[in-house]
Coordinates of all heavy atoms in Angstrom, one line a residue:
M785 N 6.4 -6.1 15.2 CA 5.4 -6.9 15.9 C 5.4 -8.4 15.4 O 6.0 -8.7 14.4 CB 4.0 -6.3 15.6 CG 3.5 -6.5 14.2 SD 1.9 -5.8 13.9 CE 1.5 -6.5 12.3
K786 N 4.8 -9.3 16.2 CA 4.8 -10.7 15.8 C 3.7 -10.9 14.7 O 2.6 -10.3 14.8 CB 4.5 -11.5 17.0 CG 4.8 -13.0 16.8 CD 4.7 -13.7 18.2 CE 5.2 -15.2 17.9 NZ 5.1 -15.9 19.2
C787 N 4.0 -11.7 13.8 CA 3.1 -12.0 12.7 C 1.9 -12.8 13.2 O 2.1 -13.8 13.8 CB 3.9 -12.7 11.6 SG 2.8 -13.1 10.2
V788 N 0.7 -12.3 12.8 CA -0.5 -13.0 13.3 C -0.9 -14.1 12.3 O -1.7 -14.9 12.6 CB -1.7 -12.0 13.4 CG1 -1.4 -11.0 14.5 CG2 -2.0 -11.4 12.1
I789 N -0.2 -14.2 11.2 CA -0.6 -15.2 10.2 C 0.2 -16.5 10.5 O -0.4 -17.6 10.7 CB -0.2 -14.8 8.7 CG1 -0.9 -13.5 8.4 CG2 -0.5 -15.9 7.7 CD1 -2.5 -13.6 8.4
C790 N 1.5 -16.4 10.6 CA 2.3 -17.7 10.8 C 2.6 -17.8 12.3 O 3.0 -18.9 12.7 CB 3.5 -17.7 10.0 SG 4.7 -16.4 10.4
Q791 N 2.5 -16.8 13.1 CA 2.8 -16.8 14.5 C 4.2 -17.1 14.9 O 4.5 -17.5 16.0 CB 1.8 -17.8 15.2 CG 0.4 -17.6 14.8 CD -0.6 -17.3 15.9 OE1 -0.4 -17.8 17.0 NE2 -1.6 -16.5 15.6
H792 N 5.1 -17.1 13.9 CA 6.5 -17.4 14.2 C 7.4 -16.2 13.9 O 8.3 -15.9 14.6 CB 6.9 -18.6 13.4 CG 6.4 -19.9 13.9 ND1 6.7 -20.4 15.1 CD2 5.4 -20.7 13.4 CE1 6.0 -21.6 15.3 NE2 5.2 -21.7 14.2
G793 N 7.1 -15.6 12.7 CA 8.0 -14.5 12.3 C 7.7 -13.2 13.0 O 6.7 -13.0 13.7
Y794 N 8.6 -12.2 12.7 CA 8.4 -10.9 13.2 C 8.4 -10.0 12.0 O 9.2 -10.2 11.1 CB 9.4 -10.5 14.2 CG 9.2 -11.1 15.6 CD1 9.7 -12.4 15.8 CD2 8.4 -10.5 16.5 CE1 9.4 -13.0 17.1 CE2 8.2 -11.0 17.7 CZ 8.7 -12.3 18.0 OH 8.4 -12.9 19.2
T795 N 7.6 -8.9 12.0 CA 7.6 -8.0 10.9 C 8.8 -7.0 10.9 O 9.2 -6.6 12.0 CB 6.3 -7.2 10.8 OG1 6.2 -6.4 12.0 CG2 5.1 -8.1 10.7
E796 N 9.3 -6.7 9.7 CA 10.3 -5.7 9.6 C 9.9 -4.6 8.6 O 9.1 -4.9 7.7 CB 11.6 -6.4 9.0 CG 12.2 -7.3 10.0 CD 13.5 -8.0 9.5 OE1 13.7 -7.8 8.3 OE2 14.2 -8.6 10.3
K797 N 10.4 -3.4 8.8 CA 10.1 -2.3 7.9 C 10.7 -2.6 6.5 O 11.8 -3.0 6.4 CB 10.7 -1.0 8.4 CG 10.1 -0.6 9.7 CD 8.7 0.1 9.6 CE 8.2 0.5 10.9 NZ 6.7 0.5 10.9
G798 N 9.9 -2.4 5.5 CA 10.4 -2.6 4.2 C 9.4 -1.9 3.2 O 8.6 -1.1 3.5
F799 N 9.6 -2.3 1.9 CA 8.7 -1.8 0.9 C 8.1 -2.9 0.1 O 8.7 -4.0 -0.1 CB 9.6 -0.9 -0.1 CG 10.0 0.4 0.5 CD1 11.2 0.5 1.1 CD2 9.2 1.5 0.5 CE1 11.7 1.6 1.7 CE2 9.6 2.7 1.1 CZ 10.8 2.8 1.7
T800 N 6.9 -2.7 -0.4 CA 6.3 -3.7 -1.2 C 5.6 -3.1 -2.4 O 5.5 -1.9 -2.5 CB 5.2 -4.5 -0.3 OG1 4.8 -5.6 -1.0 CG2 4.0 -3.6 0.1
T801 N 5.1 -4.0 -3.2 CA 4.3 -3.5 -4.4 C 2.9 -3.9 -4.2 O 2.6 -5.1 -3.8 CB 4.9 -4.2 -5.7 OG1 6.2 -3.8 -5.9 CG2 4.1 -3.8 -6.9
V802 N 2.0 -3.0 -4.4 CA 0.5 -3.3 -4.1 C -0.2 -3.1 -5.5 O -0.1 -2.1 -6.1 CB -0.1 -2.3 -3.1 CG1 -1.6 -2.5 -2.9 CG2 0.6 -2.5 -1.8
T803 N -1.0 -4.1 -5.8 CA -1.8 -4.1 -7.0 C -3.2 -3.9 -6.7 O -3.8 -4.7 -5.9 CB -1.6 -5.4 -7.8 OG1 -0.2 -5.6 -8.1 CG2 -2.3 -5.3 -9.2
L804 N -3.9 -2.9 -7.2 CA -5.3 -2.7 -7.0 C -6.0 -2.8 -8.3 O -5.6 -2.3 -9.3 CB -5.5 -1.2 -6.5 CG -5.0 -0.9 -5.1 CD1 -5.3 0.5 -4.8 CD2 -5.7 -1.8 -4.0
E805 N -7.1 -3.5 -8.3 CA -7.9 -3.7 -9.5 C -9.3 -3.2 -9.3 O -9.9 -3.4 -8.2 CB -8.0 -5.2 -9.9 CG -6.7 -5.8 -10.4 CD -6.9 -7.2 -10.9 OE1 -7.8 -7.4 -11.7 OE2 -6.2 -8.1 -10.4
R806 N -9.8 -2.5 -10.2 CA -11.2 -2.1 -10.2 C -11.8 -2.1 -11.6 O -11.2 -1.4 -12.5 CB -11.4 -0.7 -9.6 CG -12.9 -0.4 -9.4 CD -13.1 1.0 -9.0 NE -12.6 1.2 -7.6 CZ -12.7 2.5 -7.1 NH1 -13.1 3.5 -7.7 NH2 -12.2 2.6 -5.8
N807 N -12.8 -2.8 -11.8 CA -13.4 -3.0 -13.1 C -12.3 -3.5 -14.1 O -11.6 -4.5 -13.8 CB -14.1 -1.8 -13.6 CG -15.2 -1.4 -12.7 OD1 -15.9 -2.3 -12.1 ND2 -15.5 -0.1 -12.5
E808 N -12.0 -2.6 -15.1 CA -11.0 -3.0 -16.1 C -9.7 -2.3 -15.8 O -8.7 -2.5 -16.6 CB -11.4 -2.7 -17.5 CG -12.6 -3.6 -17.9 CD -13.2 -3.3 -19.2 OE1 -12.8 -2.3 -19.8 OE2 -14.1 -4.0 -19.7
S809 N -9.6 -1.6 -14.7 CA -8.4 -0.8 -14.4 C -7.5 -1.6 -13.4 O -8.0 -2.2 -12.5 CB -8.7 0.5 -13.9 OG -9.5 1.3 -14.8
V810 N -6.2 -1.5 -13.7 CA -5.2 -2.1 -12.8 C -4.2 -1.1 -12.5 O -3.6 -0.5 -13.3 CB -4.5 -3.4 -13.4 CG1 -3.5 -4.0 -12.5 CG2 -5.6 -4.4 -13.9
L811 N -4.0 -0.9 -11.2 CA -3.0 0.1 -10.7 C -1.9 -0.7 -9.9 O -2.3 -1.5 -9.1 CB -3.6 1.1 -9.8 CG -4.6 2.1 -10.4 CD1 -5.2 3.0 -9.4 CD2 -3.9 3.0 -11.5
V812 N -0.7 -0.4 -10.3 CA 0.4 -1.1 -9.6 C 1.2 0.0 -8.9 O 1.8 0.8 -9.5 CB 1.3 -1.9 -10.6 CG1 2.4 -2.6 -9.8 CG2 0.5 -2.9 -11.4
F813 N 1.2 -0.1 -7.6 CA 1.9 0.9 -6.7 C 3.2 0.3 -6.3 O 3.2 -0.8 -5.7 CB 1.1 1.3 -5.5 CG -0.1 2.2 -5.8 CD1 -1.3 1.6 -6.1 CD2 0.1 3.5 -5.8 CE1 -2.4 2.4 -6.4 CE2 -1.0 4.4 -6.1 CZ -2.3 3.8 -6.4
K814 N 4.3 1.0 -6.6 CA 5.6 0.5 -6.2 C 6.1 1.3 -5.0 O 5.7 2.4 -4.8 CB 6.6 0.7 -7.4 CG 6.1 -0.2 -8.6 CD 6.9 0.2 -9.8 CE 8.3 -0.3 -9.7 NZ 9.1 -0.1 -11.0
Q815 N 7.0 0.7 -4.3 CA 7.7 1.4 -3.2 C 6.7 1.8 -2.1 O 6.8 2.9 -1.6 CB 8.5 2.6 -3.7 CG 9.7 2.2 -4.6 CD 10.8 1.5 -3.8 OE1 11.3 2.1 -2.8 NE2 11.1 0.3 -4.1
V816 N 5.8 0.9 -1.8 CA 4.8 1.2 -0.7 C 5.4 0.8 0.6 O 5.8 -0.4 0.8 CB 3.5 0.5 -0.9 CG1 2.5 0.8 0.2 CG2 2.9 0.9 -2.3
P817 N 5.6 1.7 1.6 CA 6.2 1.3 2.9 C 5.2 0.3 3.6 O 4.0 0.5 3.6 CB 6.2 2.6 3.7 CG 5.9 3.7 2.7 CD 5.2 3.1 1.5
A818 N 5.8 -0.8 4.1 CA 5.0 -1.8 4.8 C 5.8 -2.5 5.8 O 7.0 -2.4 5.9 CB 4.5 -2.8 3.7
D819 N 5.1 -3.2 6.7 CA 5.8 -4.1 7.6 C 5.6 -5.5 7.0 O 4.5 -6.0 6.7 CB 5.1 -4.1 9.0 CG 5.3 -2.8 9.7 OD1 6.5 -2.2 9.6 OD2 4.4 -2.2 10.3
I820 N 6.8 -6.2 6.9 CA 6.8 -7.5 6.2 C 7.3 -8.6 7.1 O 8.4 -8.4 7.7 CB 7.6 -7.4 4.9 CG1 7.1 -6.3 4.0 CG2 7.7 -8.7 4.2 CD1 8.1 -5.8 3.0
C821 N 6.6 -9.7 7.2 CA 7.0 -10.8 8.0 C 8.3 -11.4 7.5 O 8.4 -11.7 6.3 CB 5.9 -11.8 8.1 SG 6.3 -13.3 9.0
D822 N 9.2 -11.6 8.4 CA 10.5 -12.2 7.9 C 10.4 -13.7 7.8 O 11.3 -14.4 7.3 CB 11.6 -11.8 8.9 CG 11.4 -12.3 10.3 OD1 10.5 -13.0 10.6 OD2 12.3 -12.0 11.2
N823 N 9.3 -14.3 8.2 CA 9.1 -15.7 8.0 C 8.2 -16.1 6.8 O 8.7 -16.8 5.9 CB 8.5 -16.3 9.3 CG 8.4 -17.8 9.3 OD1 9.4 -18.5 9.0 ND2 7.2 -18.3 9.5
C824 N 7.0 -15.6 6.8 CA 6.1 -16.0 5.7 C 5.9 -15.0 4.7 O 5.3 -15.3 3.6 CB 4.7 -16.4 6.3 SG 3.8 -15.0 7.0
G825 N 6.4 -13.8 4.9 CA 6.3 -12.7 3.9 C 5.0 -12.0 3.8 O 4.7 -11.2 2.9
E826 N 4.1 -12.2 4.8 CA 2.9 -11.5 4.9 C 3.2 -10.0 5.0 O 4.1 -9.6 5.7 CB 2.1 -12.0 6.1 CG 0.7 -11.3 6.4 CD -0.3 -11.6 5.3 OE1 -0.1 -12.6 4.6 OE2 -1.3 -10.8 5.1
V827 N 2.4 -9.2 4.3 CA 2.6 -7.8 4.3 C 1.5 -7.0 5.1 O 0.3 -7.3 4.9 CB 2.6 -7.2 2.8 CG1 2.6 -5.7 2.8 CG2 3.7 -7.8 2.1
Y828 N 1.9 -6.2 6.0 CA 1.0 -5.4 6.8 C 1.1 -3.9 6.4 O 2.2 -3.3 6.4 CB 1.3 -5.5 8.3 CG 1.1 -6.9 8.8 CD1 2.2 -7.8 8.7 CD2 -0.1 -7.3 9.3 CE1 2.0 -9.1 9.1 CE2 -0.3 -8.6 9.7 CZ 0.8 -9.5 9.7 OH 0.7 -10.8 10.1
L829 N 0.0 -3.3 6.0 CA 0.0 -1.9 5.6 C -0.5 -1.1 6.8 O -1.6 -1.4 7.4 CB -0.8 -1.6 4.4 CG -0.3 -2.2 3.1 CD1 -1.3 -1.8 1.9 CD2 1.1 -1.6 2.8
D830 N 0.2 0.0 7.1 CA -0.3 1.0 8.1 C -1.6 1.6 7.6 O -1.8 1.7 6.4 CB 0.8 2.0 8.2 CG 0.5 3.0 9.3 OD1 -0.2 4.0 9.1 OD2 1.0 2.7 10.4
S831 N -2.5 1.9 8.5 CA -3.8 2.4 8.1 C -3.7 3.8 7.4 O -4.4 4.1 6.4 CB -4.8 2.5 9.2 OG -4.4 3.5 10.1
A832 N -2.7 4.6 7.8 CA -2.5 5.9 7.1 C -2.0 5.7 5.7 O -2.3 6.4 4.7 CB -1.5 6.7 7.9
I833 N -1.1 4.6 5.5 CA -0.6 4.3 4.2 C -1.7 3.8 3.3 O -1.9 4.2 2.2 CB 0.5 3.2 4.3 CG1 1.7 3.7 5.1 CG2 0.9 2.7 2.9 CD1 2.5 4.8 4.5
N834 N -2.6 2.9 3.9 CA -3.7 2.4 3.2 C -4.6 3.5 2.7 O -5.0 3.5 1.5 CB -4.4 1.4 4.2 CG -5.2 0.4 3.4 OD1 -4.9 0.0 2.3 ND2 -6.3 0.0 4.0
Q835 N -4.9 4.4 3.5 CA -5.7 5.6 3.2 C -5.1 6.4 2.0 O -5.8 6.7 1.0 CB -5.9 6.6 4.4 CG -6.8 6.1 5.4 CD -8.2 6.7 5.2 OE1 -8.3 7.8 4.6 NE2 -9.2 6.0 5.7
A836 N -3.8 6.7 2.1 CA -3.1 7.4 1.1 C -3.1 6.7 -0.2 O -3.3 7.3 -1.3 CB -1.7 7.7 1.5
L837 N -3.0 5.4 -0.1 CA -3.0 4.5 -1.3 C -4.3 4.6 -2.0 O -4.4 4.7 -3.2 CB -2.7 3.1 -0.8 CG -2.2 2.0 -1.8 CD1 -0.8 2.4 -2.3 CD2 -2.1 0.7 -1.1
L838 N -5.4 4.5 -1.3 CA -6.7 4.5 -1.8 C -7.1 5.8 -2.5 O -7.7 5.9 -3.5 CB -7.8 4.1 -0.8 CG -7.7 2.6 -0.4 CD1 -8.8 2.4 0.7 CD2 -8.0 1.7 -1.5
S839 N -6.7 6.9 -1.8 CA -7.0 8.2 -2.4 C -6.2 8.5 -3.6 O -6.6 9.1 -4.6 CB -6.9 9.4 -1.4 OG -5.5 9.6 -1.0
Q840 N -4.9 8.0 -3.6 CA -4.1 8.2 -4.8 C -4.6 7.3 -6.0 O -4.7 7.7 -7.1 CB -2.6 7.7 -4.5 CG -1.6 8.4 -5.4 CD -0.2 8.1 -5.1 OE1 0.1 7.9 -3.9 NE2 0.7 8.0 -6.1
A841 N -5.2 6.1 -5.6 CA -5.8 5.2 -6.6 C -7.0 5.9 -7.2 O -7.2 5.9 -8.4 CB -6.2 3.9 -6.0
E842 N -7.8 6.6 -6.4 CA -9.0 7.3 -6.8 C -8.6 8.3 -7.9 O -9.3 8.4 -8.9 CB -9.7 7.9 -5.6 CG -11.1 8.1 -5.8 CD -11.9 6.8 -6.1 OE1 -11.7 5.8 -5.4 OE2 -12.6 6.8 -7.1
N843 N -7.6 9.1 -7.6 CA -7.1 10.1 -8.5 C -6.7 9.5 -9.9 O -7.0 10.1 -10.9 CB -5.9 10.9 -8.0 CG -6.3 11.8 -6.8 OD1 -7.5 12.2 -6.7 ND2 -5.3 12.1 -6.0
E844 N -6.0 8.4 -9.8 CA -5.5 7.8 -11.0 C -6.7 7.2 -11.8 O -6.7 7.4 -13.1 CB -4.5 6.6 -10.7 CG -3.3 7.1 -10.0 CD -2.4 7.9 -10.9 OE1 -2.5 7.8 -12.1 OE2 -1.6 8.7 -10.4
L845 N -7.6 6.6 -11.1 CA -8.8 6.0 -11.8 C -9.6 7.1 -12.5 O -10.2 6.9 -13.5 CB -9.6 5.2 -10.8 CG -9.0 3.9 -10.4 CD1 -9.8 3.3 -9.2 CD2 -8.9 2.9 -11.5
Q846 N -9.7 8.3 -11.9 CA -10.5 9.4 -12.4 C -9.9 9.9 -13.7 O -10.5 10.5 -14.5 CB -10.7 10.5 -11.4 CG -11.8 10.2 -10.5 CD -12.0 11.2 -9.4 OE1 -11.3 12.3 -9.4 NE2 -12.8 10.9 -8.4
R847 N -8.6 9.6 -13.9 CA -7.9 10.0 -15.2 C -8.2 8.9 -16.2 O -7.8 9.1 -17.4 CB -6.4 10.1 -15.0 CG -6.0 11.3 -14.1 CD -4.5 11.3 -13.8 NE -3.7 10.8 -14.9 CZ -2.7 10.1 -14.8 NH1 -2.3 9.6 -13.7 NH2 -2.0 9.7 -15.9
G848 N -8.9 7.9 -15.9 CA -9.3 6.9 -16.8 C -8.2 5.9 -17.3 O -8.2 5.5 -18.4
V849 N -7.3 5.6 -16.4 CA -6.2 4.7 -16.8 C -6.7 3.3 -16.8 O -7.6 2.9 -16.1 CB -5.0 4.8 -15.8 CG1 -4.4 6.3 -15.8 CG2 -5.4 4.4 -14.4
F850 N -6.0 2.5 -17.6 CA -6.3 1.0 -17.6 C -5.2 0.2 -16.9 O -5.5 -0.7 -16.2 CB -6.5 0.5 -19.0 CG -7.8 1.0 -19.7 CD1 -7.8 2.1 -20.6 CD2 -9.0 0.5 -19.3 CE1 -8.9 2.5 -21.1 CE2 -10.2 0.9 -19.9 CZ -10.2 2.0 -20.8
L851 N -4.0 0.6 -17.2 CA -2.9 -0.1 -16.5 C -1.9 0.9 -16.3 O -1.4 1.6 -17.2 CB -2.3 -1.2 -17.4 CG -1.1 -1.9 -16.9 CD1 -1.4 -2.6 -15.6 CD2 -0.5 -2.9 -17.9
E852 N -1.5 1.1 -15.0 CA -0.6 2.2 -14.7 C 0.3 1.7 -13.5 O -0.1 1.1 -12.6 CB -1.4 3.4 -14.2 CG -0.6 4.6 -13.8 CD -0.6 5.7 -14.9 OE1 -0.7 5.3 -16.1 OE2 -0.5 6.8 -14.6
M853 N 1.6 2.1 -13.7 CA 2.6 1.9 -12.7 C 2.7 3.2 -11.9 O 3.0 4.2 -12.6 CB 3.9 1.5 -13.3 CG 3.9 0.2 -14.0 SD 4.2 -1.2 -12.8 CE 5.8 -1.7 -13.4
V854 N 2.5 3.2 -10.7 CA 2.5 4.4 -9.9 C 3.6 4.3 -8.8 O 3.6 3.3 -8.1 CB 1.1 4.7 -9.2 CG1 1.1 6.0 -8.5 CG2 0.0 4.5 -10.2
N855 N 4.4 5.4 -8.8 CA 5.3 5.5 -7.6 C 4.5 6.1 -6.5 O 4.1 7.2 -6.5 CB 6.5 6.3 -8.0 CG 7.6 5.5 -8.7 OD1 7.8 4.3 -8.3 ND2 8.1 6.1 -9.8
F856 N 4.4 5.3 -5.4 CA 3.6 5.7 -4.3 C 4.3 6.9 -3.6 O 5.5 6.8 -3.3 CB 3.4 4.5 -3.3 CG 2.6 4.9 -2.1 CD1 1.3 5.2 -2.2 CD2 3.2 4.9 -0.9 CE1 0.6 5.6 -1.1 CE2 2.5 5.2 0.3 CZ 1.2 5.6 0.1
T857 N 3.5 7.9 -3.3 CA 4.1 9.0 -2.5 C 3.6 8.9 -1.1 O 2.4 9.1 -0.9 CB 3.7 10.4 -3.1 OG1 2.4 10.3 -3.5 CG2 4.6 10.7 -4.3
A858 N 4.4 8.5 -0.2 CA 4.0 8.3 1.2 C 3.7 9.6 1.9 O 4.3 10.6 1.6 CB 5.2 7.6 1.9
P859 N 2.7 9.5 2.8 CA 2.5 10.7 3.6 C 3.7 11.0 4.4 O 4.4 10.0 4.9 CB 1.3 10.3 4.5 CG 1.2 8.8 4.4 CD 1.8 8.4 3.1
K860 N 4.1 12.2 4.6 CA 5.3 12.6 5.4 C 5.2 12.1 6.8 O 4.2 12.4 7.5 CB 5.5 14.1 5.3 CG 6.0 14.5 4.0 CD 6.5 16.0 4.0 CE 7.0 16.4 2.7 NZ 5.9 16.4 1.6
V861 N 6.2 11.4 7.3 CA 6.2 10.9 8.6 C 6.3 12.1 9.6 O 7.0 13.0 9.4 CB 7.4 10.0 8.8 CG1 7.5 9.5 10.3 CG2 7.3 8.8 7.9
G862 N 5.4 12.1 10.6 CA 5.4 13.2 11.5 C 4.5 14.3 11.2 O 4.1 15.1 12.0
A863 N 4.1 14.4 9.9 CA 3.2 15.5 9.5 C 1.8 15.1 9.8 O 1.4 14.0 9.9 CB 3.3 15.7 8.0
E864 N 1.0 16.2 10.0 CA -0.4 15.9 10.3 C -1.1 15.4 9.1 O -1.0 15.9 8.0 CB -1.1 17.2 10.8 CG -0.5 17.7 12.1 CD -1.6 17.8 13.1 OE1 -2.8 17.8 12.8 OE2 -1.2 17.9 14.3
M865 N -1.9 14.3 9.3 CA -2.7 13.8 8.2 C -3.9 14.7 8.0 O -4.6 15.0 9.0 CB -3.1 12.4 8.5 CG -2.1 11.3 8.3 SD -1.6 11.1 6.5 CE -3.1 10.4 5.9
P866 N -4.2 15.1 6.8 CA -5.4 15.9 6.6 C -6.6 15.1 6.9 O -6.6 13.9 6.6 CB -5.4 16.3 5.1 CG -4.4 15.3 4.5 CD -3.5 14.9 5.6
L867 N -7.6 15.7 7.6 CA -8.8 14.9 7.8 C -9.6 14.8 6.6 O -9.8 15.8 5.9 CB -9.6 15.6 8.9 CG -9.0 15.6 10.3 CD1 -9.8 16.5 11.3 CD2 -8.9 14.2 10.8
L868 N -10.1 13.7 6.3 CA -10.9 13.5 5.0 C -12.4 13.7 5.3 O -12.8 13.4 6.3 CB -10.6 12.1 4.5 CG -9.2 11.8 4.1 CD1 -9.0 10.4 3.6 CD2 -8.8 12.8 2.9
Ligands
ZN733 ZN1 4.4 -14.5 9.2

């Protein structure tokens, strides 16, 4: 799709690193699938990916981590997403 930020580039499938902070905890998710603008580098996360990211973050935070590198486990493509 065309990038809505710079209006020049087009997004391509790739992977990015997402950092989430809450209170004193920092979670760094690696290998998160995303659409990335080839011009300005803006990252677009699919809503299913975003959901999975947040629920995985919740699990990590409940373990009481302060700083954690997490390998993101993507929801299987084509599989039914469980209703939350
Ligand atoms: Zn752009």
Side-chain angles (χ1 to χ4, degrees):
M785 72 181 190
K786 196 169 187 180
C787 179
V788 297
I789 302 298
C790 66
Q791 315 236 326
H792 288 289
Y794 285 87
T795 59
E796 292 182 347
K797 298 279 178 209
F799 291 93
T800 190
T801 299
V802 176
T803 305
L804 292 177
E805 289 187 53
R806 186 187 292 175
N807 301 327
E808 291 173 357
S809 301
V810 180
L811 294 173
V812 181
F813 287 89
K814 297 168 73 174
Q815 294 290 302
V816 180
D819 292 320
I820 302 162
C821 175
D822 62 4
N823 184 53
C824 70
E826 180 68 19
V827 171
Y828 298 88
L829 292 180
D830 188 273
S831 66
I833 298 293
N834 204 29
Q835 284 265 333
L837 201 63
L838 290 177
S839 69
Q840 204 175 327
E842 206 57 51
N843 288 337
E844 297 293 335
L845 288 170
Q846 278 174 10
R847 289 170 43 215
V849 299
F850 288 103
L851 175 62
E852 182 102 329
M853 295 273 247
V854 185
N855 277 317
F856 180 67
T857 40
K860 289 191 175 65
V861 176
E864 294 241 343
M865 284 291 291
L867 291 174
L868 297 175

